């Protein structure tokens, strides 16, 4: 078994909250570096953090109390996302290539050959896409979107889609076409769905019908280009107050907090790496922001400048907390 040295390099950073400096924010590397770490999910029942290393086809589990990291490996393709299944111990669903799969794995152990069942396939007839980021909606339905494999710029664009999966795994196309499906989050009122197609350079909001799972009435919440924000929006989560936390990738080097009522950037936290892929609140009090990052697109000289690229980080001291991340009700 490969062992991972956990280092406690700590960065004290300045985050700007409405123009005021906050010096109590602390960034620690907790795991990695990996190739393309993504999809952090905090399991609030077991106090474990799951995330994936997409091209390495691995699902990782980090135990915060011990620092121990275990993993499982899927043969079916790049692993874009993982979430636990509700009320079923050691059962997960994952996006693996273009398949939604169910994975049986005890996350406290490393297992390179877990039992995997295919639930459904998406993007049939579209070449070279794979499932990317995904999340569970307030009724326990899993949503995940696709992207072109191996292309930051998605040439040709608009080959991908966002899907909602029924409890039996059957996909329904929700948004098409898109280019690079990423962050997705529901408001605490369960009336709004926030969504990121990264190559649209914006965060959008739809009305969400909790009972039917339908979305409508798309509006732009924050346009990165109009607001001169470097990079693209990637993974996203929500804090207890209802503000969004968004990873800014492709040179973004930061995590931003966005007020969804006004579309204003409330805070910006600089990261020690440029390719910041996703965020999730975790820890017993859900007041630690876990942040994944990537190194797959960096040149050798960029890697020398940011040797921690691809690591998973923990940000303490933000003074905000998140809500429980939901497990999938898929059966
Ligand atoms: C929204 O959904 C969550 C998860 O199912 C539920 O706990 C919460 O009570 C819902 N909120 C409202 C305002 O209905
Ligand atoms: C973005 O930058 C341009 C050019 O520097 C400037 O004119 C514009 O006011 C800026 N917009 C915002 C929202 O900061």
């Amino acid at each position: 078994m490969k062992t991972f040295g956990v280092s406690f390099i700590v960065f004290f950073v300045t985050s700007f909250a409405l123009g005021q400096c906050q010096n109590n924010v602390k960034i620690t590397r907790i795991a990695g570096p990996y190739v393309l770490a993504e999809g952090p999910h905090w399991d609030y029942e077991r106090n474990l953090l799951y995330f994936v290393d997409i091209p390495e086809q691995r699902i990782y589990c980090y135990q915060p109390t011990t620092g121990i990291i275990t993993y499982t490996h899927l043969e079916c393709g790049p692993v874009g996302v993982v979430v636990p299944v509700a009320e079923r111990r050691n059962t997960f669903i994952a996006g693996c290539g273009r398949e939604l799969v169910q994975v049986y794995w005890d996350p406290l152990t490393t297992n390179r050959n877990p039992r995997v069942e295919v639930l459904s396939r998406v993007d049939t007839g579209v070449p070279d896409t794979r499932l990317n980021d995904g999340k569970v909606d307030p009724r326990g339905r899993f949503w995940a979107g696709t992207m072109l494999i191996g292309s930051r710029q998605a040439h040709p664009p608009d080959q991908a889609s966002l899907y909602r999966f029924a409890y039996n795994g059957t996909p329904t196309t929700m948004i098409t076409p898109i280019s690079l499906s990423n962050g997705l989050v529901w408001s605490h009122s369960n009336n709004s769905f926030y969504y990121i197609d990264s190559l649209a350079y914006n965060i959008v909001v739809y009305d969400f019908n909790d009972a039917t799972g339908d979305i409508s009435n798309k509006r732009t919440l924050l346009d990165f280009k109009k607001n001169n924000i470097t990079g693209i929006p990637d993974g996203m989560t929500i804090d207890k107050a209802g503000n969004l936390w968004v990873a800014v990738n492709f040179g973004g080097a930061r995590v931003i907090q966005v007020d969804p009522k006004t579309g204003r950037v409330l805070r910006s936290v600089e990261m020690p790496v440029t390719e910041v892929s996703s965020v999730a609140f975790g820890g017993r009090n859900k007041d630690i922001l876990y942040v994944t990052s990537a190194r797959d697109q960096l040149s050798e000289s960029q890697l020398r400048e940011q040797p921690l690229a691809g690591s998973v980080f923990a940000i303490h001291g933000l003074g905000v907390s998140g809500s429980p991340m939901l497990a999938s009700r898929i059966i």
Side-chain angles (χ1 to χ4, degrees), residues 137-140 187-191 210 326:
D137 80 9
R139 295 282 175 110
S187 65
H188 298 312
S189 64
N190 305 331
N191 288 337
D210 192 23
L326 298 178

PDB file of all heavy atoms in Angstrom, residues 137-140 187-191 210 326, ligand 1:
ATOM      1  N   ASP A 137     -29.676  16.480  -4.913  1.00  0.00           N
ATOM      2  CA  ASP A 137     -30.642  17.566  -4.687  1.00  0.00           C
ATOM      3  C   ASP A 137     -31.416  17.335  -3.386  1.00  0.00           C
ATOM      4  O   ASP A 137     -31.237  16.297  -2.725  1.00  0.00           O
ATOM      5  CB  ASP A 137     -31.535  17.760  -5.931  1.00  0.00           C
ATOM      6  CG  ASP A 137     -32.677  16.756  -6.049  1.00  0.00           C
ATOM      7  OD1 ASP A 137     -32.938  15.983  -5.104  1.00  0.00           O
ATOM      8  OD2 ASP A 137     -33.337  16.766  -7.110  1.00  0.00           O
ATOM      9  N   PRO A 138     -32.250  18.312  -2.968  1.00  0.00           N
ATOM     10  CA  PRO A 138     -32.902  18.194  -1.647  1.00  0.00           C
ATOM     11  C   PRO A 138     -33.783  16.946  -1.489  1.00  0.00           C
ATOM     12  O   PRO A 138     -34.062  16.532  -0.366  1.00  0.00           O
ATOM     13  CB  PRO A 138     -33.754  19.471  -1.562  1.00  0.00           C
ATOM     14  CG  PRO A 138     -33.080  20.435  -2.475  1.00  0.00           C
ATOM     15  CD  PRO A 138     -32.505  19.618  -3.586  1.00  0.00           C
ATOM     16  N   ARG A 139     -34.212  16.346  -2.586  1.00  0.00           N
ATOM     17  CA  ARG A 139     -35.018  15.123  -2.508  1.00  0.00           C
ATOM     18  C   ARG A 139     -34.186  13.845  -2.704  1.00  0.00           C
ATOM     19  O   ARG A 139     -34.748  12.772  -2.905  1.00  0.00           O
ATOM     20  CB  ARG A 139     -36.129  15.166  -3.559  1.00  0.00           C
ATOM     21  CG  ARG A 139     -37.150  16.273  -3.326  1.00  0.00           C
ATOM     22  CD  ARG A 139     -38.142  15.885  -2.229  1.00  0.00           C
ATOM     23  NE  ARG A 139     -39.039  16.991  -1.938  1.00  0.00           N
ATOM     24  CZ  ARG A 139     -40.335  16.999  -2.257  1.00  0.00           C
ATOM     25  NH1 ARG A 139     -40.875  15.962  -2.844  1.00  0.00           N
ATOM     26  NH2 ARG A 139     -41.081  18.054  -1.957  1.00  0.00           N
ATOM     27  N   GLY A 140     -32.862  13.992  -2.690  1.00  0.00           N
ATOM     28  CA  GLY A 140     -32.006  12.807  -2.778  1.00  0.00           C
ATOM     29  C   GLY A 140     -31.751  12.303  -4.184  1.00  0.00           C
ATOM     30  O   GLY A 140     -31.204  11.220  -4.363  1.00  0.00           O
ATOM     31  N   SER A 187     -30.440  26.145  -3.127  1.00  0.00           N
ATOM     32  CA  SER A 187     -30.626  27.092  -2.018  1.00  0.00           C
ATOM     33  C   SER A 187     -31.267  26.370  -0.833  1.00  0.00           C
ATOM     34  O   SER A 187     -31.892  25.326  -1.000  1.00  0.00           O
ATOM     35  CB  SER A 187     -31.526  28.244  -2.470  1.00  0.00           C
ATOM     36  OG  SER A 187     -32.825  27.734  -2.753  1.00  0.00           O
ATOM     37  N   HIS A 188     -31.136  26.952   0.347  1.00  0.00           N
ATOM     38  CA  HIS A 188     -31.732  26.330   1.537  1.00  0.00           C
ATOM     39  C   HIS A 188     -33.256  26.309   1.465  1.00  0.00           C
ATOM     40  O   HIS A 188     -33.899  25.474   2.088  1.00  0.00           O
ATOM     41  CB  HIS A 188     -31.262  27.043   2.804  1.00  0.00           C
ATOM     42  CG  HIS A 188     -29.777  26.947   2.999  1.00  0.00           C
ATOM     43  ND1 HIS A 188     -29.096  25.764   2.894  1.00  0.00           N
ATOM     44  CD2 HIS A 188     -28.839  27.890   3.264  1.00  0.00           C
ATOM     45  CE1 HIS A 188     -27.803  25.980   3.096  1.00  0.00           C
ATOM     46  NE2 HIS A 188     -27.624  27.259   3.320  1.00  0.00           N
ATOM     47  N   SER A 189     -33.823  27.231   0.704  1.00  0.00           N
ATOM     48  CA  SER A 189     -35.279  27.239   0.535  1.00  0.00           C
ATOM     49  C   SER A 189     -35.735  26.122  -0.406  1.00  0.00           C
ATOM     50  O   SER A 189     -36.930  25.864  -0.526  1.00  0.00           O
ATOM     51  CB  SER A 189     -35.713  28.586  -0.047  1.00  0.00           C
ATOM     52  OG  SER A 189     -35.137  28.712  -1.354  1.00  0.00           O
ATOM     53  N   ASN A 190     -34.789  25.492  -1.073  1.00  0.00           N
ATOM     54  CA  ASN A 190     -35.055  24.449  -2.087  1.00  0.00           C
ATOM     55  C   ASN A 190     -35.837  25.005  -3.281  1.00  0.00           C
ATOM     56  O   ASN A 190     -36.460  24.244  -4.011  1.00  0.00           O
ATOM     57  CB  ASN A 190     -35.794  23.242  -1.477  1.00  0.00           C
ATOM     58  CG  ASN A 190     -35.049  22.657  -0.289  1.00  0.00           C
ATOM     59  OD1 ASN A 190     -33.828  22.726  -0.209  1.00  0.00           O
ATOM     60  ND2 ASN A 190     -35.790  22.081   0.642  1.00  0.00           N
ATOM     61  N   ASN A 191     -35.754  26.325  -3.458  1.00  0.00           N
ATOM     62  CA  ASN A 191     -36.463  26.972  -4.574  1.00  0.00           C
ATOM     63  C   ASN A 191     -35.551  27.380  -5.716  1.00  0.00           C
ATOM     64  O   ASN A 191     -36.025  27.767  -6.777  1.00  0.00           O
ATOM     65  CB  ASN A 191     -37.159  28.255  -4.086  1.00  0.00           C
ATOM     66  CG  ASN A 191     -38.358  27.950  -3.233  1.00  0.00           C
ATOM     67  OD1 ASN A 191     -38.920  26.870  -3.342  1.00  0.00           O
ATOM     68  ND2 ASN A 191     -38.729  28.881  -2.373  1.00  0.00           N
ATOM     69  N   ASP A 210     -38.926  21.607  -6.217  1.00  0.00           N
ATOM     70  CA  ASP A 210     -38.436  20.516  -5.380  1.00  0.00           C
ATOM     71  C   ASP A 210     -39.225  19.215  -5.626  1.00  0.00           C
ATOM     72  O   ASP A 210     -38.655  18.123  -5.694  1.00  0.00           O
ATOM     73  CB  ASP A 210     -38.584  20.973  -3.916  1.00  0.00           C
ATOM     74  CG  ASP A 210     -37.860  20.079  -2.954  1.00  0.00           C
ATOM     75  OD1 ASP A 210     -36.909  19.389  -3.376  1.00  0.00           O
ATOM     76  OD2 ASP A 210     -38.239  20.074  -1.778  1.00  0.00           O
ATOM     77  N   LEU A 326     -25.806  16.187   1.196  1.00  0.00           N
ATOM     78  CA  LEU A 326     -26.781  15.100   1.135  1.00  0.00           C
ATOM     79  C   LEU A 326     -26.203  13.878   0.417  1.00  0.00           C
ATOM     80  O   LEU A 326     -25.414  13.990  -0.512  1.00  0.00           O
ATOM     81  CB  LEU A 326     -28.042  15.580   0.418  1.00  0.00           C
ATOM     82  CG  LEU A 326     -28.760  16.742   1.114  1.00  0.00           C
ATOM     83  CD1 LEU A 326     -29.966  17.176   0.295  1.00  0.00           C
ATOM     84  CD2 LEU A 326     -29.181  16.366   2.534  1.00  0.00           C
TER      85      LEU A 326
HETATM   86  C1  LIG B   1     -35.008  21.618   1.870  1.00  0.00           C
HETATM   87  O1  LIG B   1     -34.574  20.273   1.715  1.00  0.00           O
HETATM   88  C2  LIG B   1     -33.870  19.772   2.827  1.00  0.00           C
HETATM   89  C3  LIG B   1     -33.323  18.418   2.449  1.00  0.00           C
HETATM   90  O2  LIG B   1     -34.346  17.536   2.059  1.00  0.00           O
HETATM   91  C4  LIG B   1     -34.793  19.742   4.022  1.00  0.00           C
HETATM   92  O3  LIG B   1     -34.073  19.261   5.168  1.00  0.00           O
HETATM   93  C5  LIG B   1     -35.299  21.130   4.310  1.00  0.00           C
HETATM   94  O4  LIG B   1     -36.230  21.100   5.359  1.00  0.00           O
HETATM   95  C6  LIG B   1     -35.919  21.730   3.064  1.00  0.00           C
HETATM   96  N1  LIG B   1     -36.204  23.157   3.323  1.00  0.00           N
HETATM   97  C7  LIG B   1     -37.371  23.721   3.098  1.00  0.00           C
HETATM   98  C8  LIG B   1     -37.468  25.172   3.397  1.00  0.00           C
HETATM   99  O5  LIG B   1     -38.337  23.082   2.665  1.00  0.00           O
END
